[in-house]
Amino acid sequence: VLYPDLGYLPGMKAKYGAIVVAGSGKINGFVASRNRAGAYFRTKVTPVNPQTTAQLAVRNRLGSLSQDWRGLTDAQRAAWNGVVSSFAKTDIFGDLKNPTGFNLYQRLNNNLITTAQAAISVPPVPQAVDEVGLTSITAAAGAGTIAVVLTGAVPATSAVKVFATAPQSPGVTFVKSEYRLITVLAPSAATPVALGTAYVAKFGSFSANQKLFFKFVFVDIDSGIESLPVQGFDVSAA
């Protein structure tokens, strides 16, 4: 990719109009990306890799799924490759892109294993995921409790991946990369849901007047297909 003043940028992605209008990737000490304000360049920072128990579990799970993929028959792999257009997703430029059969196999089975379900070797038919809405989140710092009220019990056909952020300033209005998986709700789990113990185990205690963000992703327990996230937050009381 040729870019003014930067020369050839291997590994960079760019979308062209009359001129370069968007970029993504990294080269040497620079990273191209975008946010709500538009495209930008920033200095590349190498993140710390603490190799936590959660990180290692994810890596081991993905490694195991890679091995399982190699153990499928040619016909089974062809079946996964043959359905990818039905599972296309929008990329960072807003274009619709197909996953590979391997990526799709990993994505759906990772969802299933994360929610304590059996992995699948046959690709599913795309389908809607049964889900419920979010009514309220109430966090109390003194008691260390977080009560989440859903519009009903978790559907019997779904499990829920629950993500949260560490305590944020009350002025924070947008989070994305800060979410971490804290627990999974089983199919038919009743509402309200108590998340205080799981939250504190992940992030430690929280104080009054801190904003806690939550994201709930419903996963079909037969296919591994997931819903769009249901999101909410609360500013913790004393």
Side-chain angles (χ1 to χ4, degrees), residues 183-197:
T183 192
V184 171
L185 305 182
S188 303
T191 187
V193 179
L195 295 180
T197 300

Side-chain angles (χ1 to χ4, degrees), residues 3 9-10 44 46-47 50 68-69 78 107 109 114 159 185 191 206 209 216-217 230:
Y3 196 87
L9 303 183
K44 177 180 178 293
T46 301
D68 291 344
W69 169 261
R107 182 203 308 169
N109 278 312
T114 299
L185 305 182
T191 187
F206 54 94
N209 203 38
F216 305 86
V217 179
V230 177

Side-chain angles (χ1 to χ4, degrees), residues 87-133:
F87 292 89
K89 285 193 171 185
T90 303
D91 68 7
I92 58 173
F93 299 124
D95 297 326
L96 202 60
K97 297 293 184 180
N98 295 336
T100 64
F102 170 70
N103 292 152
L104 181 61
Y105 175 85
Q106 277 215 332
R107 182 203 308 169
L108 298 185
N109 278 312
N110 185 51
N111 284 339
L112 289 169
I113 295 171
T114 299
T115 55
Q117 309 301 319
I120 56 176
S121 58
V122 177
V125 175
Q127 58 187 286
V129 180
D130 292 332
E131 57 185 295
V132 293

